[in-house]
Amino acid sequence: PAVDGSGWGGCANVPDSSAVSTTWHSNDDDVYRAPPIDRSILPTAPRAAREPNIDRSRLPKSPPYTAFLGNLPYDVTEESIKDFFRGLNISAVRLPREPTNPERLKGFGYAEFEDIDSLFQALSLNEESLGNRRIRVDVADQAQDKGECPA
């Protein structure tokens, strides 16, 4: 047993607690500052916050500014497409139907926008859900869209 009753056996090399420093460096130059993070590029950011990953040179230089819509639900309506692109200047929606069954949609369509910025913003909705499907939004092939044969 320790002479002083502490149970430590009277060790003399225990440092005095008043001499122990509890601060790390106080020099501000040593403080680590992480670079600011652009949260819109994180994979968890909502797609609408991210810039569409598209080469602007693929966008049409003049009207019509048309987006191809793929993987559409078969019960989609023009109104539901307009609602999907709400806030954008949409001028027309085309939903092709099966020739043998005019009631049945083909599962793709086109949305025409009044300006290039609306088309660009629409492309940011690629892979977003409409109904129970993740739809594809891409720049429509201008030659095919006008009924011309591609060169």
Side-chain angles (χ1 to χ4, degrees):
V3 178
D4 63 0
S6 67
W8 283 100
C11 293
N13 61 353
V14 175
D16 178 7
S17 63
S18 64
V20 175
S21 171
T22 58
T23 59
W24 192 250
H25 271 277
S26 59
N27 184 352
D28 278 347
D29 293 339
D30 290 340
V31 175
Y32 174 74
R33 287 188 182 85
I37 296 171
D38 179 0
R39 297 200 183 283
S40 71
I41 61 171
L42 295 176
T44 55
R47 275 192 184 80
R50 288 186 254 156
E51 185 83 351
N53 186 18
I54 187 152
D55 181 2
R56 275 192 175 262
S57 69
R58 289 185 55 218
L59 297 177
K61 305 288 183 262
S62 60
Y65 302 113
T66 307
F68 170 81
L69 312 174
N71 198 34
L72 294 175
Y74 289 106
D75 60 352
V76 76
T77 64
E78 285 189 27
E79 281 310 308
S80 61
I81 297 286
K82 288 178 179 175
D83 187 49
F84 181 77
F85 292 117
R86 71 184 160 276
L88 303 181
N89 296 323
I90 191 165
S91 57
V93 174
R94 293 193 306 279
L95 299 171
R97 298 180 179 280
E98 292 288 351
T100 56
N101 182 0
E103 296 293 309
R104 184 170 165 84
L105 296 171
K106 288 188 171 184
F108 68 90
Y110 299 93
E112 193 171 304
F113 297 91
E114 294 175 15
D115 54 74
I116 192 86
D117 291 326
S118 288
L119 173 59
F120 189 69
Q121 287 304 313
L123 298 172
S124 71
L125 297 172
N126 186 39
E127 296 291 316
E128 287 294 317
S129 292
L130 176 62
N132 57 349
R133 293 177 175 232
R134 288 168 98 64
I135 70 163
R136 185 173 151 225
V137 182
D138 201 357
V139 178
D141 182 350
Q142 296 296 306
Q144 280 184 316
D145 195 38
K146 292 177 183 167
E148 302 165 6
C149 294

